[in-house]
């Protein structure tokens, strides 16, 4: 036998035990790591602070129903128009049929569309209000969203109460084409009718508020406030830079930049939102 030949050593089954399964990750879901500062804090503490980082104050997205818990008096919210659901008037299909996308998004989020509306009270003051749900197709505005927003103003008109809309959206929903674009005119017309009762409309801009929503009723508030560092504008900064071929100023389209240039009235941290709205409604409501 050649000197370099080797015999394969056979091992009995007893001598090669199977590797034990990897232990389950301990603490999964218990901790939260902030994307802004990298700090790790208990998730319970993070959720108690309404998805605001306790270390640096970074505002993460807040689920739409928790938004109502945040700002309204406990037990006062009554959801309305929940029966409205989007249709597929154009039979639209891209990489996926629009009707299938709606169905899968409903299963994932539990929401019928990107806007929830109703009535409630803040500091005992009745209000008609609604909030975008960014978790539903990026908070895009289709015909149902526009109808619900219009009904927020219609109810405020009929009941002679203030109106509040929390906006967080990527703009109009392209799958509905011109039907979605017409919601800009529809909601603005409903708001114009509401103005005749001389009650305030408070527009609260969250991150992000862009596209057709920003170009219509979101900018038309009697008082326009925003959360810290919210991206607000019609087109995004990258699109603008590519169009004008110039570098934009630092912080362009963020709420701090807009406040400095007189485009919004105030920046209100999330933990102060309920009290600020209560004070505002007590003064002008």
């Amino acid at each position: 036998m050649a000197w370099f030949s080797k015999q394969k050593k056979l091992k009995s089954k007893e001598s090669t035990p199977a590797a034990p399964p990897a232990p389950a990750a301990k603490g999964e879901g218990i901790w939260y790591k902030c994307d802004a500062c990298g700090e790790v804090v208990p998730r319970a503490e993070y959720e108690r602070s309404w998805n605001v980082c306790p270390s640096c104050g970074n505002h993460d997205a807040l689920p739409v129903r928790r938004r109502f818990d945040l700002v309204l008096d406990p037990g006062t919210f009554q959801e309305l128009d929940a029966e409205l659901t989007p249709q597929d008037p154009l039979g639209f299909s891209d990489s996926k049929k629009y009707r299938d996308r709606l169905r899968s998004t409903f299963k994932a989020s539990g929401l019928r569309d990107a806007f929830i509306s109703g009535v409630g009270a803040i500091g005992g003051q009745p209000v008609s209000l609604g909030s975008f749900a960014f978790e539903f197709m990026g908070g895009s505005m289709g015909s149902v969203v526009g109808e619900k927003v219009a009904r927020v103003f219609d109810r405020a008109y009929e009941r002679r109460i203030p109106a509040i809309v929390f906006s967080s959206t990527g703009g109009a929903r392209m799958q509905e084409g011109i039907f979605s674009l017409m919601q800009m005119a529809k909601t603005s017309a409903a708001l114009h009718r509401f103005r005749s009762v001389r009650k305030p409309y408070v527009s609260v801009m969250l991150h992000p508020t862009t596209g057709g929503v920003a170009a219509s009723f979101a900018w038309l508030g009697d008082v326009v406030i925003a959360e810290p560092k919210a991206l607000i504008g019609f087109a995004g900064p990258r699109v603008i830079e590519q169009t004008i071929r110039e570098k934009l100023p630092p912080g362009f389209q963020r709420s701090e930049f807009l406040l400095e240039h007189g485009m919004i009235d105030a920046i209100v941290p999330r933990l102060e939102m309920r009290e600020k709205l209560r004070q505002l409604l007590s003064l002008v409501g």
Side-chain angles (χ1 to χ4, degrees):
M1 183 182 291
W3 65 271
F4 53 82
S5 65
K6 295 182 180 180
Q7 290 183 345
K8 186 176 181 180
K9 295 182 180 180
L10 298 178
K11 295 183 179 180
S12 64
K13 293 182 179 180
E14 289 78 8
S15 62
T16 56
K26 294 183 179 180
E28 185 177 356
I30 297 177
W31 302 98
Y32 161 78
K33 183 177 180 180
C34 178
D35 292 333
C37 67
E39 191 72 16
V40 178
V41 297
R43 180 165 293 277
E45 181 181 352
Y46 164 73
E47 292 180 349
R48 280 197 302 269
S49 61
W50 302 96
N51 292 18
V52 176
C53 176
S55 298
C56 69
N58 182 59
H59 286 51
D60 284 339
L62 186 67
V64 61
R65 296 193 183 278
R66 291 201 70 205
R67 178 79 52 186
F68 296 122
D69 295 336
L70 169 68
V71 301
L72 293 175
D73 298 344
T76 63
F77 180 64
Q78 178 186 359
E79 183 178 354
L80 301 171
D81 307 321
E83 73 282 0
L84 298 180
T85 56
Q87 304 300 312
D88 185 14
L90 303 179
F92 188 90
S93 178
D94 45 19
S95 60
K96 190 175 184 179
K97 291 183 179 180
Y98 180 41
R99 63 175 66 93
D100 294 337
R101 196 180 297 277
L102 290 171
R103 191 178 300 113
S104 61
T105 306
F106 166 66
K107 290 181 179 178
S109 65
L111 299 172
R112 290 293 183 184
D113 211 335
F115 193 81
I116 293 181
S117 57
V119 293
I122 300 177
Q125 167 73 58
V127 293
S128 175
L129 79 165
S131 177
F132 278 79
F134 195 80
E135 55 266 40
F136 191 100
M137 298 182 68
S140 53
M141 179 173 66
S143 54
V144 168
V145 171
E147 176 64 20
K148 285 189 173 185
V149 172
R151 291 190 184 190
V152 168
F153 298 129
D154 289 343
R155 274 190 293 271
Y157 171 83
E158 294 165 359
R159 304 187 185 193
R160 284 4 186 212
I161 58 177
I164 302 175
V165 174
F166 295 87
S167 300
S168 177
T169 171
R173 188 173 302 170
M174 69 173 202
Q175 290 89 345
E176 296 186 21
I178 191 65
F179 293 96
S180 64
L181 294 178
M182 288 304 297
Q183 306 310 308
M184 298 172 63
K186 177 181 182 177
T187 53
S188 298
L191 174 57
H192 178 73
R193 177 172 178 258
F194 165 66
R195 296 227 189 263
S196 64
V197 303
R198 304 183 67 83
K199 291 292 182 179
Y201 160 45
V202 181
S203 176
V204 183
M205 294 185 172
L206 312 174
H207 176 75
T209 299
T210 59
V213 173
S216 55
F217 60 87
W219 278 119
L220 297 178
D222 298 303
V223 179
V224 180
I225 61 181
E227 286 189 340
K229 298 182 180 179
L231 175 66
I232 301 169
F234 182 67
R238 178 174 55 84
V239 175
I240 296 175
E241 287 184 341
Q242 291 175 348
T243 302
I244 67 175
R245 298 181 181 181
E246 292 184 12
K247 191 68 176 177
L248 297 173
F252 182 75
Q253 290 186 315
R254 296 290 173 170
S255 49
E256 290 76 9
F257 184 92
L258 297 177
L259 178 64
E260 182 180 349
H261 290 79
M263 298 296 291
I264 62 176
D265 297 304
I267 296 174
V268 181
R270 188 173 296 164
L271 301 182
E272 302 175 14
M273 186 66 70
R274 176 187 289 181
E275 179 59 22
K276 292 298 183 181
L277 289 175
R278 187 198 65 80
Q279 293 176 355
L280 184 60
L281 293 179
S282 68
L283 292 173
V284 298

